[in-house]
Amino acid sequence: NAGVTQTPKFQVLKTGQSMTLQCAQDMNHNSMYWYRQDPGMGLRLIYYSASEGTTDKGEVPNGYNVSRLNKREFSLRLESAAPSQTSVYFCASSERGTGGAETQYFGPGTRLLVL
Amino acid sequence: QKEVEQNSGPLSVPEGAIASLNCTYSDRGSQSFFWYRQYSGKSPELIMFIYSNGDKEDGRFTAQLNKASQYVSLLIRDSQPSDSATYLCAVASSGGSYIPTFGRGTSLIVHP
């Protein structure tokens, strides 16, 4: 199993450009997530999808949109990139574990630089 | 707002010592607790989870949970230089929002 995969690994954008970050998982998980990680800020949830066909905002959704294409794939779109969106983006998927909480597994990340 | 607090470190320990990483949380309804390890430039990797008070051991790792005092800790015995990484604590409730809230992580340095 590949687990959680993300493309691209690295991207440079100019302010105002758009792009889509792709994520796929082969673990048959229902839930998927997009996080951003900035120095000193930890992991911050952008959007999540509890199941195919549903999406919800997280802590920092402004400037982003998502699509849960099917059970395997969850994409993150930046419509008009801004320098403040320079970050490392992680996709994760999860399974409901003992205790009721979701145990998350992360992809390798996409490093985005917006100039 | 649910908060998860960790000392950012770095925590520096000699090789072979016990490294103790601590995490406190604000939500008394929290039920599940996770420790992730993140090497520089890599993604977080789950190493332990615990949901009952007390200790849970897995190899050189022991997670300790005290719900009354609202803290969870991770002990790493016989620390190795390869354990040098940032350790993220994550806390989740079983009801309502089941999504874990992450702390900012503690940087651990194990020196030879």
Side-chain angles (χ1 to χ4, degrees):
Chain A
N1 287 352
V4 181
T5 57
Q6 293 183 235
T7 55
K9 287 186 170 55
F10 182 72
Q11 184 73 45
V12 179
L13 291 178
K14 294 180 180 179
T15 297
Q17 288 185 316
S18 62
M19 78 162 295
T20 299
L21 283 66
Q22 306 287 355
C23 174
Q25 53 95 7
D26 62 1
M27 295 178 282
N28 201 36
H29 290 165
N30 287 320
S31 300
M32 298 185 72
Y33 312 80
W34 277 105
Y35 289 89
R36 60 178 290 173
Q37 188 175 40
D38 302 293
M41 295 299 293
L43 285 163
R44 292 186 292 171
L45 183 64
I46 304 171
Y47 270 94
Y48 66 99
S49 171
S51 62
E52 186 178 350
T54 67
T55 60
D56 286 286
K57 295 178 180 179
E59 180 185 355
V60 288
N62 291 345
Y64 306 95
N65 285 301
V66 291
S67 295
R68 183 73 183 267
L69 305 171
N70 49 54
K71 190 171 186 178
R72 291 187 65 249
E73 298 172 288
F74 189 38
S75 63
L76 178 72
R77 183 162 177 82
L78 287 70
E79 292 291 352
S80 179
S84 61
Q85 294 178 305
T86 292
S87 188
V88 180
Y89 291 85
F90 289 106
C91 177
S93 68
S94 69
E95 59 185 4
R96 187 63 61 95
T98 307
E102 298 285 326
T103 301
Q104 294 175 312
Y105 300 88
F106 288 83
T110 294
R111 283 149 184 78
L112 177 65
L113 174 62
V114 183
L115 301 174
Chain B
Q1 185 174 350
K2 301 175 184 176
E3 294 183 348
V4 178
E5 299 288 341
Q6 296 181 257
N7 189 320
S8 62
L11 172 66
S12 183
V13 300
E15 184 175 357
I18 296 175
S20 178
L21 304 162
N22 299 312
C23 172
T24 60
Y25 58 94
S26 63
D27 182 10
R28 286 197 171 273
S30 299
Q31 297 289 328
S32 300
F33 308 85
F34 306 86
W35 283 101
Y36 287 83
R37 177 177 62 200
Q38 186 175 25
Y39 292 114
S40 180
K42 300 296 185 181
S43 59
E45 172 193 11
L46 179 68
I47 55 174
M48 290 283 289
F49 69 89
I50 185 169
Y51 59 93
S52 297
N53 267 333
D55 296 359
K56 179 181 179 182
E57 186 175 317
D58 184 0
R60 294 187 296 111
F61 299 98
T62 299
Q64 298 178 318
L65 175 61
N66 185 322
K67 290 185 178 180
S69 300
Q70 294 178 243
Y71 82 79
V72 56
S73 61
L74 179 69
L75 301 179
I76 306 175
R77 291 183 300 281
D78 188 23
S79 296
Q80 301 297 309
S82 59
D83 294 325
S84 299
T86 296
Y87 289 80
L88 304 174
C89 172
V91 175
S93 302
S94 59
S97 175
Y98 53 86
I99 302 170
T101 299
F102 284 83
R104 298 184 180 188
T106 298
S107 174
L108 172 66
I109 298 173
V110 182
H111 54 86

